[in-house]
């Protein structure tokens, strides 16, 4: 079902994990997907090859979300090449996991620069083409940590909570002009990050999750794809949890 046929989508941090699943799913639904990345260009190229092998359309565009000039240049390149930019999925992010008392100021700044300021840069850059077209879908990938907290992730949680506030405020500003803004807050998802958890920690999380398992990147991607679709035109300013009932 090509619900996104003809649409152009930019997904940041899409070389692996949840971002790659989102890019693949949007392409499966007909979107022309631009995979944004910074360092994992080889993995991004693999993702593009996979999408093209399955009949989709995709390309890689390396840029740093923390650099406003690079972001503006990337968005301009997309609009110049395709004549439009309909969908932005802000997925790029990182975490420095350490107790707050030991958190270095430089690490705090790095986490906020990528996870919060990066979302600001990308979102601001796409507003002009979306508002001109009077159509757009912006989806911000936040985290369950923004809502319930997690020891050792004060910077990450603060940044993701900030994205939630930005999501709601921007939705009030622009939703009347055909552009919706929503967030998706994953819980514990089977990715490279969670694969490194000690078995005892994994078992404790599984005990706390009502559905009894971790989620998959594909499940997160399906939710994002719905929010990007025409069917979600009456949903805006929301952050939707996808966490197996861990946080209700």
């Amino acid at each position: 079902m090509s619900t996104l046929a003809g649409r152009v989508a930019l997904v940041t941090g899409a070389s692996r994990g949840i971002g790659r699943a989102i890019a693949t799913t949007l392409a499966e639904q007909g979107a022309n997907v631009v995979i944004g990345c910074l360092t994992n260009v080889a993995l991004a190229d693999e993702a593009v090859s996979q999408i093209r092998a399955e009949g989709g359309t995709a390309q890689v565009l390396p840029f740093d979300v923390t650099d406003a000039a690079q972001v503006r240049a990337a968005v301009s390149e997309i609009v110049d090449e395709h004549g439009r930019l309909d969908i932005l999925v802000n997925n790029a992010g990182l975490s420095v996991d350490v107790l707050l008392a030991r958190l270095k100021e430089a690490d705090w700044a790095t986490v906020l620069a990528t996870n919060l300021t990066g979302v600001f840069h990308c979102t601001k850059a796409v507003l002009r083409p979306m508002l001109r077209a009077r159509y757009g879908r912006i989806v911000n990938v936040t985290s369950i940590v923004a809502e319930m907290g997690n020891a050792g992730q004060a910077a990450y949680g603060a940044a993701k909570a900030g994205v939630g506030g930005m999501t709601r405020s921007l939705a009030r500003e622009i939703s009347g002009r055909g552009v919706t803004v929503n967030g998706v807050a994953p819980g514990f998802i089977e990715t490279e990050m969670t694969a490194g958890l000690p078995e005892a920690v994994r078992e404790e999380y599984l005990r706390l999750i009502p559905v009894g398992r971790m989620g998959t990147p594909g499940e997160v991607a399906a939710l994002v794809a719905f929010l990007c679709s025409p069917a979600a035109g009456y949903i805006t300013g929301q952050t939707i949890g996808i966490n197996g009932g861990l946080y209700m």
Side-chain angles (χ1 to χ4, degrees):
M1 182 172 61
S2 301
T3 58
L4 299 177
R7 299 299 184 187
V8 177
L10 169 61
V11 185
T12 67
S15 61
R16 60 182 179 176
I18 291 173
R20 180 166 176 166
I22 292 170
T24 300
T25 301
L26 295 182
E28 288 172 351
Q29 297 193 9
N32 186 336
V33 178
V34 179
I35 292 180
C37 65
L38 178 57
T39 57
N40 296 315
V41 178
L43 287 176
D45 285 335
E46 288 181 11
V48 167
S49 295
Q50 176 192 345
I51 289 171
R52 290 176 177 173
E54 296 172 354
T57 306
Q59 66 188 86
V60 177
L61 184 58
F63 65 94
D64 184 352
V65 299
T66 70
D67 186 320
Q70 286 191 39
V71 172
R72 288 193 297 269
V75 170
S76 293
E77 182 175 334
I78 294 169
V79 174
D80 288 346
E81 180 175 349
H82 300 284
R84 60 194 302 153
L85 179 51
D86 306 287
I87 295 165
L88 168 66
V89 181
N90 283 305
N91 174 73
L94 55 82
S95 180
V96 177
D97 295 350
V98 62
L99 296 176
L100 183 64
R102 299 176 182 173
L103 181 62
K104 296 177 182 178
E105 292 180 5
D107 289 335
W108 168 271
T110 296
V111 172
L112 265 68
T114 301
N115 295 10
L116 180 57
T117 307
V119 173
F120 163 72
H121 289 325
C122 293
T123 302
K124 184 175 181 180
V126 305
L127 286 182
R128 187 182 296 266
M130 287 186 179
L131 293 175
R132 186 185 302 121
R134 299 193 68 83
Y135 181 89
R137 297 286 187 265
I138 299 171
V139 181
N140 300 319
V141 180
T142 66
S143 172
I144 191 174
V145 177
E147 299 167 321
M148 64 180 290
N150 195 34
Q153 290 191 314
Y156 184 77
K160 293 298 190 179
V163 171
M166 190 191 311
T167 298
R168 292 184 289 274
S169 296
L170 182 62
R172 290 189 179 276
E173 292 179 11
I174 66 173
S175 294
R177 298 179 66 180
V179 183
T180 63
V181 190
N182 291 290
V184 169
F188 291 95
I189 308 299
E190 292 282 8
T191 63
E192 291 181 8
M193 185 181 299
T194 56
L197 290 172
E199 190 59 31
V201 174
R202 173 182 287 267
E203 290 300 321
E204 178 62 16
Y205 283 140
L206 292 178
R207 185 184 67 82
L208 296 172
I209 299 171
V211 302
R213 65 172 178 86
M214 290 191 178
T216 68
E219 288 173 317
V220 179
L223 175 56
V224 172
F226 170 70
L227 291 173
C228 292
S229 74
Y234 200 58
I235 302 172
T236 196
Q238 307 302 308
T239 296
I240 301 173
I242 177 165
N243 57 52
L246 178 59
Y247 182 81
M248 300 184 185

